[in-house]
Amino acid sequence: MKRLLAAPSFTSWVSVVLMAGLFGAGAASYTGFASTQVVLNLLIDNAFLLVIAVGMSFVILSGGIDLSVGSVLALTTMVAAWLLQVAHWPAELVIAVVLLGGAAFGALQGMVIHVFKLQAFIVTLAGMFLARGLCFLISVDSITIDAPLFVTLSQTQIPLFAGAFLSPGALIAVVVLGAGLWIAHCTAFGRTVYALGGSEASALMMGLAVGRTKVAVYGLSGFCASLAGLLFAFYMLSGYGQHAQGVELDAIAAVVIGGTVLTGGYGYVAGALSGVLVLGLIQTLIAFDGTLSSWWTKIVIGALLFVFCAVQRLLSLKKAAG
Amino acid sequence: MNLPITSTPVLALSGIHKGFPGVKALSDVSLRLFPGEVHALMGQNGAGKSTLIKVLTGLYQPDAGAVTLDGKAIAPKRTEDAQDLGIRTVYQEVNLCPNLSVAENICAGRFPRKSWLNGGRIDWAAVNAEARRVLAQMDLDIDVSAPLSRYSLSVQQMVAIARALRISARVLILDEPTSSLDDAAVQRLFTVLRRLRDQGLAILFVTHFLDQTYALADRITVMRNGETEGEYLASELSRLALVNKMVGAPPDQQPTRLDSRASQTGAPVLSAQGLGRRGALHPLDLQLKRGEVLGLAGLLGSGRTEAARLLFGADAADAGHVDMHGRTRRWHSPREAIAAGIAFCSEDRKHEGAILELSVRDNILLALQARHGLRLVMSFDEQQALADDYIQRLGIKTPSADTPIGQLSGGNQQKALLARWLATKPAVLILDEPTRGIDVRAKEDLMDQVRALAHGEAGMAIVFISSELPEVLHCSDRLLVLRDRRAAGEYRRGELDERSVLEVIAAESA
Amino acid sequence: MPTPRAPATPLWRHPLARPVAALALLLIVAAVFVPGFLHLEIKDGHLYGSLVDILHRAAPLMLAALGMTLVIATRGIDVSVGAVVAIAGTVGCVLVGSHGLAIAFAAALGAALLCGLWNGLLVSALGLQPIIATLILMVAGRGLAQLLTDGQIITVYEPASFFWLGGGYLLGLPVSLFVVATVGGLTALLMKRTALGLFIQTVGINPVAARLAGVRTAAIVFFVYVYCSLGAGLAGLMISSNIKSADANNAGLLLELDAILAVTLGGGQLSGGKFSLAGSLIGALIIQTLTSTIYAMGVPPQVTMVVKAVVVFAVCISQSSAWSTWRKA
Amino acid sequence: APLVMGFSQVGAESEWRTANTASVKAAAKEAGITLKFADAQQKQENQVKAIRSYIAQKVDVIAFSPVVESGWDTVLKEAKAAGIPVILTDRAVKVADPSLYVTFIGSDFVEEGRKAGKWVLERAAKAPGGALNIVELQGTVGSAPAIDRKKGFEEVIKANAKLQIIRSQSGEFTRAKGKEVMESFLKQRDKKIDILFAHNDDMAIGAIQAIEEAGLKPGQDIAIVSIDGVRGAFEAMKAGKLNVTVECNPLLGPQLMQLAKDIVAKKPVEKRITVTEGVYTADVAAKELPNRKY
Ligand SMILES: Nc1ncnc2c1ncn2[C@@H]1O[C@H](COP(=O)(O)OP(=O)(O)OP(=O)(O)O)[C@@H](O)[C@H]1O
Ligand SMILES: Nc1ncnc2c1ncn2[C@@H]1O[C@H](COP(=O)(O)OP(=O)(O)OP(=O)(O)O)[C@@H](O)[C@H]1O
Ligand SMILES: [Mg+2]
Ligand SMILES: [Mg+2]
């Protein structure tokens, strides 16, 4: 116990415990809540958010922020849909193109941030407008995707046990999370990201590859956003400029709830998972309750968020004092 | 021991110019570094030493001038480039990442990796072992997997040095690496440096300690006001001459020493009763009288800083209390201590002192203003006058009081921070390593000032902490020796000499 | 903050020079492409024209940007601004008919104050990260406002004096401008004539050193959130007074993003520290001028966002110091 | 046991929507149906999540107002596999297999646009003289009502060459934006504005204020046609400031509940059920106003 308390990942553990509490409360109150599929649905429904959050974790760990992810996601669905439905490209090629495109979009933002020494917030905010705007240049209407590969991926259910299933998208998200963990903790790039977040000036003076890492971090985030866009496209089978409005805030919230410090340098990529699950759980709770009016929905989400963050914080404080 | 001057320099700088808006930091500076020598770069605060080093490592781009390595012109654009060329640097301020572990800070950039067959990932066991190996050279045995921020500034400084030592290089640059190290640590560092020198490394070394210069350096380059004053063989330059070349004045008489009379100490102002904090300081009793200087001596990590922080309320004590002017107090925040008339000048000026982007004036005014609350303590003109007064009195080298303090040289920042606390006219002044990074002349001035503040009319009670034993001995009326985070003895002025104090300090703990 | 009285740097090096230049350039572009954009006339005893519209429309954003400037100066961020706008506007509109102007205004600002206290409490006492602390109110705030109105848009018919704040004119200019000028002036005075500005910057640049120097860091942080919410509350009243109704779901939507953008366009650093109130006001004007120009030029709505993005990129890059060195090289 | 219905609403972005929600809730209570209500806050992904949770809860019937038309195949298949019938309300969906939902009850946005266009066409026929300049306040870019209403409107007014849309900008369905955009339109002094077409009443109400502030008479100097038929629009019409509003009826709660009961009872229902919607002009406004429920 003492070792657990002393571990730097304590905050993350608190999240896990609180999440279990939240789930327990749901299971006790609502019939059908305590089923495997409900838990798996958390993963299936939030796969895209998890992927974005993994990319966002790197950005935030490096001391930056990326507001463009939601729009890049939408742009990806739009471009993919257009290429598939209007230009009739093969699905595999489309996937490769949009992934590269997303990474390039992110890297470009990173470059602007690095070369012109601009603030990440403002650059990615402009990137957010740009990507969203480009969607509408392609089409203001939504485009339905019926490419066989996408449809198959959309409707495949990977059976697990006792009738419970997982979607390919969820599986991809879990793989991305694993890769994120590996990159963060086992590669020089990952450690440089942490160093950047700890102190960019120091990292520069330590002779670390600050510029390259920065560009790569935003490139990675852009890649994750477009991968999330693909998952979204599998999930919705459509391209649409209004998809995933405000997802960037959800992703940032998930990362921060997962214990990563917004100013960078402290936290774990794994936290993204707990953050995403907490947000998902809150929504599931509300859907199961099914009596809340639209405004009470917002208030309750806010209140649950508050309770979660406050408890997490108080427990961490207590640990710091003890 | 000196290599013949006929051998070609590894590194040569010539005609370097570097200006900042409003300041000419370097003009026509030249420097040669030969393999297998320790080259001391000397000069007053703000002479341009650090700037020169930053030009060398690519952190700043020179306005004019050439840098050659092995006769080939180089123009590093980033520290990274310089590193690849074999130039390793320890900068003046500790420039490491507080969030990373000690081991990572040492290895970052060149991690030991597992083989490709194993995925090519970082080999954490090897990283830690490697870090422990390098630190062992300096006899430092700490938990390398703990985050750097857990350790005191002096440990951090050693880690920074270890980082530079880890990879063999052609040139090693150390900018005031010893400014907060104690004697023993300095000796261990020197042993390492001598060995490296004998292996043919060229070492550039900046320090304000003459003793260290003469103990280590083969050659000395003196800088003054951003220009090269000259290059000398250490064996041919006397101390006095060196100081004169740095200061640029004709030989002065020995600076007037204060009488060594035990001062008239008055009523106790501040005392600590069983003041302690778990894991940082064992309960400590301590008394401070009006008009006396109390020196705190001890080794690295002996708890001097912690004692000071507890007296000031920077950390919350979990045992004991302080008595201030006879009233029992338990500080909840530094504010209360400041209101009661205590001032604390931290050893870590970069993180705990300077507000880098604010002007020198605002930095000087800050504590006074904070004590007053929101109402301005004085008009703008008076602020200016106050700042100018301190700039002049402490000899702070700055273009103007409006210059951001971050643009000052390290030593001058230190002086400005001292001014911040003097401006509050405290009853108790706690100075933690106030001489850190201050040049020879300024150091003497400072120590004279400290004694004057205590013994003069102000009658301040001063706690003086320094890793330089001679300084502590010189300054203090009373000396408290700490060892292993508890008091190991208390001595009046004159009761002990440097040797015997050293014995007390370094005695094996029971 | 007191600026040096004798600026040694030339005028074009002044930190405000670039934002002002960007604003001027935008206006020139608008004037060239939209005939009569700069045209002003007297109509019904007040000035009438696009320029007046820009100032008038930018007023709520300027109020929000002033508060955001201080929050950002302490290294914080407040994403609940839009929600506070909705709450204050709603409270004002709900009460103004039945309880009169004074009570409605007091209640609306009181509600905003409560929001600020809540944010301040979470950030400074509980130590939550600012973005999460304010995100809570951002999510819940609109819900609270809608709770008051039952999801309806509250239209105000009486008293006419309520419409004065957001729609009235004084000396031929919109009242809202005088409000912004007063708030901005008072804030500037507060920053210059007290040590608040110094403390805010200190806390933003180096909170540890600030605490050791005896600055009441927690109180300062608390203050900026309260101030920001009050500004947002006033902006909320202004917006609902202008459209004579409270739209809890849409009032001030995404205003926080615009406010942050205004601060950065005006030269503020999101990493805290130095700030410029005037810069943020100019930033707000840049944003509104851009929007108005887009409307006036008849840019199709689906292209609007791309145009906005491109202009923001251009303005930022032209303002970066790296750009000037790059150009020279 | 009482019938359980899961209902996923788009959000509460407008008065219209709130009225829609209220109608559904009241009707469910009336009909003795247990309603599981979820607000999606304008996000499709949230609606999908809600529908999945309804499947997990094994409700008897699922109803929802889709945020967008496309992207529903997967989740509807899951519902079908679980044997839960699905009713669409308010907006239609595009799915490859129409058997994925049982029926669609709601308005036709294109038709609403057409109705507005027809009114303009009639007015143009009566008006003497040359061209009539129209300005358009669009809804949120990309949203289904904005796209469809624009489409229907343009389709009809093409018939008369006198009618020309000189400016079109998004007012994002809100009063504040509607007013701001209208202000900007009014500043363009090259062409006189004769008719305003607003995609919803809220924007029209905002625009009316802008027109008044510019010293013109809304409803006379500029004819205004808008869509939705909320109470505020009737008040404006009563005051002579709005000429016509095309009703888009949100009160489909009772019809929806009846449908749900029929479906569960395995009675046959039609695939497309339209709600009765009228076009109200200023002259009937005073009479109609007291009857408005939203
Ligand atoms: N970034 C900067 N901007 C403006 N001026 C600077 C900057 N860095 C250094 N200077 C100025 O250049 C001069 C030389 O400073 P430098 O730090 O090189 O001195 P130093 O010899 O290392 O002094 P110290 O012994 O105190 O460390 C000083 O006058 C300082 O004010
Ligand atoms: N060599 C060391 N090994 C382990 N911990 C150390 C060491 N040096 C300092 N510390 C840490 O510093 C804390 C107290 O040291 P403090 O800074 O008060 O000592 P100091 O006498 O001021 O020495 P320093 O010269 O390091 O400033 C201890 O709690 C310890 O954790
Ligand atoms: Mg220096
Ligand atoms: Mg110390």
Side-chain angles (χ1 to χ4, degrees):
Chain A
M1 189 63 201
K2 205 163 180 185
R3 258 190 65 200
L4 184 72
L5 273 172
S9 51
F10 178 76
T11 319
S12 314
W13 287 117
V14 170
S15 310
V16 173
V17 172
L18 281 176
M19 222 151 55
L22 220 53
F23 187 82
S29 328
Y30 309 113
T31 45
F33 195 94
S35 79
T36 330
Q37 195 55 48
V38 169
V39 179
L40 292 175
N41 277 348
L42 277 181
L43 214 54
I44 295 174
D45 293 334
N46 295 296
F48 70 96
L49 186 59
L50 179 58
V51 172
I52 285 197
V54 169
M56 185 70 82
S57 293
F58 281 92
V59 177
I60 292 183
L61 280 173
S62 81
I65 198 154
D66 188 353
L67 297 179
S68 70
V69 287
S71 306
V72 171
L73 187 159
L75 182 59
T76 305
T77 64
M78 204 70 207
V79 170
W82 191 84
L83 289 178
L84 289 168
Q85 304 303 128
V86 183
H88 300 294
W89 285 24
E92 295 78 7
L93 185 62
V94 169
I95 291 176
V97 164
V98 294
L99 286 180
L100 282 179
F105 190 94
L108 210 66
Q109 294 186 95
M111 222 120 95
V112 172
I113 292 168
H114 176 67
V115 173
F116 295 110
K117 302 202 166 42
L118 291 176
Q119 307 191 42
F121 189 95
I122 195 166
V123 171
T124 55
L125 185 68
M128 165 175 148
F129 290 147
L130 184 66
R132 195 65 77 189
L134 289 176
C135 293
F136 295 127
L137 285 191
I138 296 173
S139 161
V140 285
D141 215 341
S142 63
I143 303 177
T144 306
I145 298 174
D146 57 14
L149 178 65
F150 277 62
V151 175
T152 327
L153 278 173
S154 161
Q155 288 164 4
T156 308
Q157 299 187 343
I158 302 163
L160 292 178
F161 44 82
F165 66 90
L166 214 52
S167 71
L171 217 59
I172 295 177
V174 172
V175 171
V176 168
L177 179 70
L181 286 173
W182 192 81
I183 293 176
H185 299 289
C186 300
T187 67
F189 164 74
R191 301 324 291 171
T192 309
V193 169
Y194 275 85
L196 265 179
S199 162
E200 188 174 330
S202 292
L204 198 68
M205 291 178 121
M206 284 163 79
L208 303 181
V210 171
R212 252 179 300 152
T213 306
K214 248 190 185 173
V215 174
V217 159
Y218 288 92
L220 181 66
S221 173
F223 175 84
C224 284
S226 57
L227 181 58
L230 282 177
L231 297 191
F232 208 87
F234 297 156
Y235 185 58
M236 301 290 187
L237 285 180
S238 72
Y240 185 37
Q242 297 276 11
H243 270 330
Q245 290 273 20
V247 153
E248 53 280 344
L249 260 183
D250 289 344
I252 295 170
V255 170
V256 174
I257 290 171
T260 301
V261 181
L262 195 66
T263 43
Y266 297 91
Y268 298 89
V269 173
L273 178 65
S274 63
V276 166
L277 291 183
V278 166
L279 293 183
L281 253 176
I282 289 179
Q283 276 191 349
T284 310
L285 276 175
I286 284 170
F288 267 84
D289 182 80
T291 59
L292 297 176
S293 68
S294 300
W295 34 98
W296 275 109
T297 303
K298 293 176 187 164
I299 297 171
V300 170
I301 292 179
L304 285 176
L305 209 56
F306 165 69
V307 170
F308 189 88
C309 294
V311 172
Q312 187 188 43
R313 175 75 196 154
L314 287 176
L315 285 176
S316 311
L317 274 183
K318 211 162 166 194
K319 172 223 167 189
Chain B
M1 164 154 285
N2 284 330
L3 285 170
I5 207 123
T6 47
S7 81
T8 48
V10 230
L11 188 72
L13 292 92
S14 58
I16 302 284
H17 288 262
K18 175 72 191 171
F20 297 107
V23 194
K24 188 99 183 87
L26 298 177
S27 55
D28 197 19
V29 175
S30 323
L31 178 79
R32 302 182 300 168
L33 268 184
F34 293 93
E37 74 163 356
V38 175
H39 193 127
L41 185 59
M42 307 285 294
Q44 279 185 293
N45 290 136
K49 306 178 294 289
S50 300
T51 308
L52 183 67
I53 287 171
K54 288 178 183 169
V55 164
L56 232 175
T57 59
L59 218 55
Y60 293 156
Q61 304 304 315
D63 300 334
V67 185
T68 59
L69 185 75
D70 289 326
K72 282 195 284 291
I74 57 166
K77 293 259 176 295
R78 291 166 293 184
T79 310
E80 229 180 315
D81 302 342
Q83 245 173 42
D84 293 342
L85 291 166
I87 304 172
R88 306 284 299 188
T89 318
V90 179
Y91 293 100
Q92 181 168 11
E93 304 289 346
V94 171
N95 279 294
L96 296 173
C97 294
N99 57 330
L100 301 186
S101 74
V102 170
E104 273 186 85
N105 268 298
I106 291 176
C107 297
R110 302 215 172 141
F111 284 110
R113 299 238 191 140
K114 293 217 164 166
S115 69
W116 276 109
L117 290 175
N118 281 317
R121 66 190 154 92
I122 297 175
D123 185 349
W124 285 112
V127 168
N128 289 342
E130 175 92 3
R132 253 178 258 122
R133 179 185 67 78
V134 199
L135 286 175
Q137 289 185 0
M138 288 182 291
D139 263 359
L140 194 62
D141 182 21
I142 54 174
D143 175 9
V144 291
S145 58
L148 184 78
S149 57
R150 176 106 44 99
Y151 294 101
S152 71
L153 190 65
S154 36
V155 174
Q156 295 188 14
Q157 202 162 38
M158 306 247 272
V159 174
I161 297 170
R163 177 178 163 77
L165 294 182
R166 178 178 156 240
I167 292 182
S168 55
R170 313 277 330 272
V171 177
L172 179 64
I173 303 171
L174 302 156
D175 192 354
E176 300 193 34
T178 54
S179 59
S180 56
L181 298 192
D182 64 12
D183 247 5
V186 170
Q187 288 319 321
R188 288 192 296 265
L189 173 66
F190 281 10
T191 314
V192 177
L193 292 183
R194 283 197 192 97
R195 202 186 64 228
L196 290 172
R197 171 187 64 189
D198 296 342
Q199 289 167 5
L201 196 71
I203 299 174
L204 183 66
F205 185 77
V206 179
T207 183
H208 289 297
F209 301 109
L210 297 187
D211 288 342
Q212 296 183 3
T213 308
Y214 282 101
L216 196 66
D218 306 306
R219 202 190 303 272
I220 300 174
T221 292
V222 177
M223 288 186 67
R224 195 170 66 219
N225 288 331
E227 295 172 19
T228 327
E229 201 277 340
E231 190 195 88
Y232 310 92
L233 283 178
S235 49
E236 291 169 6
L237 189 68
S238 76
R239 286 185 181 226
L240 196 59
L242 172 58
V243 172
N244 285 328
K245 291 195 189 306
M246 281 162 48
V247 178
D252 215 15
Q253 292 94 353
Q254 274 295 94
T256 44
R257 286 270 150 263
L258 281 182
D259 52 327
S260 61
R261 78 190 149 89
S263 58
Q264 305 292 325
T265 53
V269 184
L270 176 72
S271 64
Q273 250 93 62
L275 197 64
R277 181 179 161 86
R278 233 172 4 148
L281 187 73
H282 295 285
L284 178 77
D285 294 327
L286 167 155
Q287 264 216 353
L288 198 58
K289 298 201 185 70
R290 187 181 134 81
E292 84 167 340
V293 180
L294 172 70
L296 285 190
L299 291 184
L300 213 135
S302 56
R304 296 161 301 174
T305 298
E306 196 51 48
R309 289 177 66 90
L310 291 179
L311 282 177
F312 183 64
D315 293 333
D318 51 20
H321 57 85
V322 294
D323 288 332
M324 180 97 191
H325 296 301
R327 272 182 61 202
T328 298
R329 308 291 298 265
R330 282 190 181 80
W331 309 132
H332 300 290
S333 77
R335 276 183 52 75
E336 297 172 11
I338 294 170
I342 306 184
F344 168 64
C345 196
S346 164
E347 62 179 343
D348 189 350
R349 64 168 166 251
K350 183 173 161 195
H351 294 111
E352 298 184 343
I355 315 291
L356 290 177
E357 283 131 69
L358 289 191
S359 66
V360 174
R361 182 189 54 244
D362 288 339
N363 266 286
I364 292 181
L365 205 75
L366 184 61
L368 182 62
Q369 181 64 62
R371 199 173 65 184
H372 260 252
L374 286 180
R375 243 192 56 228
L376 285 188
V377 279
M378 50 180 78
S379 74
F380 184 77
D381 290 318
E382 287 166 329
Q383 291 179 16
Q384 195 73 26
L386 180 89
D388 286 338
D389 180 39
Y390 277 108
I391 288 174
Q392 208 222 334
R393 256 180 36 205
L394 299 180
I396 302 172
K397 195 176 167 231
T398 170
S400 79
D402 286 318
T403 311
I405 197 171
Q407 294 181 5
L408 264 52
S409 77
N412 285 307
Q413 289 182 18
Q414 184 72 31
K415 293 184 206 166
L417 293 181
L418 182 63
R420 170 190 295 174
W421 292 109
L422 291 183
T424 64
K425 304 218 161 40
V428 177
L429 177 60
I430 306 172
L431 299 171
D432 194 359
E433 313 269 4
T435 53
R436 199 179 148 238
I438 296 193
D439 65 42
V440 200
R441 182 57 75 78
K443 216 176 259 184
E444 273 165 11
D445 289 348
L446 180 94
M447 286 192 286
D448 290 348
Q449 286 230 9
V450 165
R451 290 181 63 81
L453 282 169
H455 301 160
E457 267 175 53
M460 242 177 241
I462 296 178
V463 177
F464 186 90
I465 304 173
S466 168
S467 300
E468 288 304 296
L469 201 49
E471 285 176 11
V472 187
L473 285 172
H474 173 71
C475 257
S476 343
D477 300 313
R478 207 147 48 86
L479 185 67
L480 183 67
V481 176
L482 294 183
R483 193 174 61 219
D484 288 335
R485 305 188 209 140
R486 67 173 91 235
E490 194 183 314
Y491 309 93
R492 300 206 58 78
R493 183 177 184 78
E495 272 178 16
L496 281 173
D497 58 275
E498 195 170 335
R499 249 195 107 84
S500 32
V501 176
L502 263 177
E503 275 163 20
V504 178
I505 287 178
E508 284 292 315
S509 43
Chain C
M1 269 322 299
T3 39
R5 281 163 312 166
T9 47
L11 203 57
W12 46 270
R13 278 268 179 98
H14 192 274
L16 286 185
R18 284 160 194 263
V20 170
L23 180 59
L25 195 70
L26 265 178
L27 284 173
I28 291 170
V29 169
V32 169
F33 284 95
V34 185
F37 192 81
L38 301 181
H39 179 87
L40 285 174
E41 63 186 300
I42 304 278
K43 208 174 212 174
D44 298 343
H46 59 78
L47 272 180
Y48 179 87
S50 298
L51 288 182
V52 180
D53 277 358
I54 291 177
L55 289 169
H56 189 35
R57 289 278 154 231
L61 178 56
M62 289 202 266
L63 285 178
L66 282 175
M68 192 65 85
T69 309
L70 298 192
V71 170
I72 286 179
T74 63
R75 280 193 194 181
I77 199 155
D78 186 350
V79 292
S80 71
V81 166
V84 176
V85 162
I87 291 178
T90 307
V91 169
C93 288
V94 167
L95 292 181
V96 74
S98 49
H99 292 74
L101 199 64
I103 293 200
F105 268 41
L109 291 180
L113 182 76
L114 282 180
C115 292
L117 288 174
W118 167 259
N119 281 339
L121 200 74
L122 294 196
V123 176
S124 108
L126 201 57
L128 286 186
Q129 296 192 49
I131 197 166
I132 284 296
T134 54
L135 183 75
I136 291 168
L137 190 58
M138 178 193 178
V139 175
R142 280 188 192 281
L144 288 171
Q146 283 185 306
L147 188 65
L148 289 175
T149 66
D150 238 1
Q152 303 292 321
I153 295 180
I154 302 287
T155 308
V156 180
Y157 304 96
E158 302 265 61
S161 54
F162 178 69
F163 310 136
W164 193 68
L165 174 67
Y169 288 85
L170 190 68
L171 305 173
L173 286 171
V175 172
S176 55
L177 279 189
F178 291 93
V179 175
V180 172
T182 312
V183 172
L186 283 178
T187 313
L189 215 61
L190 198 64
M191 295 301 132
K192 284 220 169 88
R193 290 294 149 86
T194 72
L196 198 58
L198 175 67
F199 293 162
I200 286 176
Q201 290 185 32
T202 309
V203 169
I205 297 171
N206 190 340
V208 178
R211 192 179 90 93
L212 286 184
V215 177
R216 286 178 190 268
T217 44
I220 298 287
V221 169
F222 207 87
F223 167 81
V224 294
Y225 285 93
V226 170
Y227 174 87
C228 184
S229 283
L230 277 177
L234 199 53
L237 279 174
M238 206 179 262
I239 290 174
S240 39
S241 152
N242 182 265
I243 57 167
K244 304 179 182 171
S245 52
D247 184 349
N249 197 58
N250 295 308
L253 206 60
L254 296 185
L255 189 68
E256 51 275 350
L257 274 187
D258 277 344
I260 299 169
L261 189 62
V263 174
T264 33
L265 284 178
Q269 285 290 324
L270 284 169
S271 47
K274 294 240 161 182
F275 63 88
S276 158
L277 294 172
S280 301
L281 293 183
I282 293 170
L285 284 177
I286 291 179
I287 295 173
Q288 190 55 46
T289 307
L290 179 59
T291 315
S292 296
T293 310
I294 285 175
Y295 289 158
M297 284 173 66
V299 176
Q302 61 270 29
V303 188
T304 309
M305 283 192 130
V306 175
V307 175
K308 246 186 171 167
V310 170
V311 173
V312 172
F313 267 126
V315 170
C316 290
I317 290 180
S318 71
Q319 287 194 15
S320 85
S321 51
W323 169 247
S324 8
T325 48
W326 214 49
R327 225 178 15 185
K328 263 185 239 147
Chain D
L3 200 78
V4 180
M5 171 193 271
F7 182 75
S8 168
Q9 178 62 286
V10 173
E13 75 280 9
S14 61
E15 273 186 325
W16 189 96
R17 187 65 62 192
T18 309
N20 180 241
T21 305
S23 159
V24 170
K25 283 192 169 173
K29 203 167 189 185
E30 186 106 327
I33 292 179
T34 311
L35 188 71
K36 290 268 177 187
F37 175 84
D39 176 289
Q41 323 216 355
Q42 277 90 345
K43 290 187 191 174
Q44 185 178 17
E45 56 269 32
N46 287 355
Q47 284 198 309
V48 174
K49 286 174 201 170
I51 294 172
R52 287 226 163 93
S53 85
Y54 294 145
I55 299 173
Q57 292 176 72
K58 303 191 172 64
V59 298
D60 298 305
V61 55
I62 292 174
F64 73 104
S65 302
V67 177
V68 231
E69 291 177 332
S70 45
W72 297 101
D73 293 80
T74 314
V75 70
L76 292 190
K77 271 194 185 141
E78 282 168 31
K80 196 177 175 189
I84 303 174
V86 172
I87 309 174
L88 306 176
T89 69
D90 175 34
R91 299 179 189 178
V93 300
K94 283 188 215 153
V95 282
D97 171 10
S99 77
L100 288 181
Y101 64 88
V102 183
T103 177
F104 161 48
I105 166 173
S107 345
D108 182 343
F109 298 139
V110 182
E111 187 53 37
E112 288 162 7
R114 285 195 199 111
K115 284 180 186 164
K118 267 182 211 133
W119 185 85
V120 172
L121 215 53
E122 279 163 25
R123 190 180 168 91
K126 274 181 256 161
L132 282 178
N133 292 331
I134 304 175
V135 293
E136 181 185 28
L137 285 172
Q138 298 184 28
T140 309
V141 179
S143 65
I147 296 169
D148 290 349
R149 287 172 185 170
K150 185 176 173 60
K151 195 158 92 192
F153 185 78
E154 283 175 353
E155 188 185 303
V156 173
I157 63 162
K158 259 200 312 231
N160 188 341
K162 259 180 23 178
L163 294 171
Q164 254 187 1
I165 299 183
I166 54 166
R167 285 185 191 285
S168 176
Q169 184 58 260
S170 168
E172 292 165 25
F173 283 135
T174 68
R175 285 189 190 185
K177 274 284 164 189
K179 182 170 183 181
E180 185 179 346
V181 173
M182 193 63 205
E183 258 173 18
S184 170
F185 285 167
L186 289 165
K187 296 286 173 331
Q188 316 296 308
R189 300 171 320 145
D190 46 351
K191 285 180 187 148
K192 184 180 169 296
I193 299 169
D194 300 302
I195 297 169
L196 164 68
F197 169 46
H199 284 191
N200 80 346
D201 288 338
D202 285 340
M203 289 191 292
I205 292 169
I208 286 171
Q209 293 177 13
I211 295 171
E212 283 178 324
E213 281 168 24
L216 298 172
K217 288 213 166 57
Q220 291 173 28
D221 296 332
I222 297 176
I224 305 173
V225 50
S226 71
I227 300 178
D228 269 2
V230 298
R231 185 194 292 270
F234 279 85
E235 281 162 0
M237 283 198 289
K238 193 176 157 194
K241 296 173 181 175
L242 180 73
N243 299 67
V244 63
T245 182
V246 176
E247 187 185 38
C248 177
N249 191 355
L251 306 180
L252 36 77
Q255 261 174 302
L256 175 64
M257 296 308 148
Q258 191 51 51
L259 269 177
K261 282 186 178 162
D262 291 350
I263 289 170
V264 173
K266 300 266 184 308
K267 285 189 204 156
V269 293
E270 288 193 37
K271 197 75 188 173
R272 173 76 173 90
I273 297 161
T274 37
V275 278
T276 44
E277 292 174 338
V279 177
Y280 296 92
T281 50
D283 22 304
V284 298
K287 190 155 59 64
E288 190 64 23
L289 185 57
N291 305 335
R292 303 309 292 178
K293 295 212 183 67
Y294 58 96

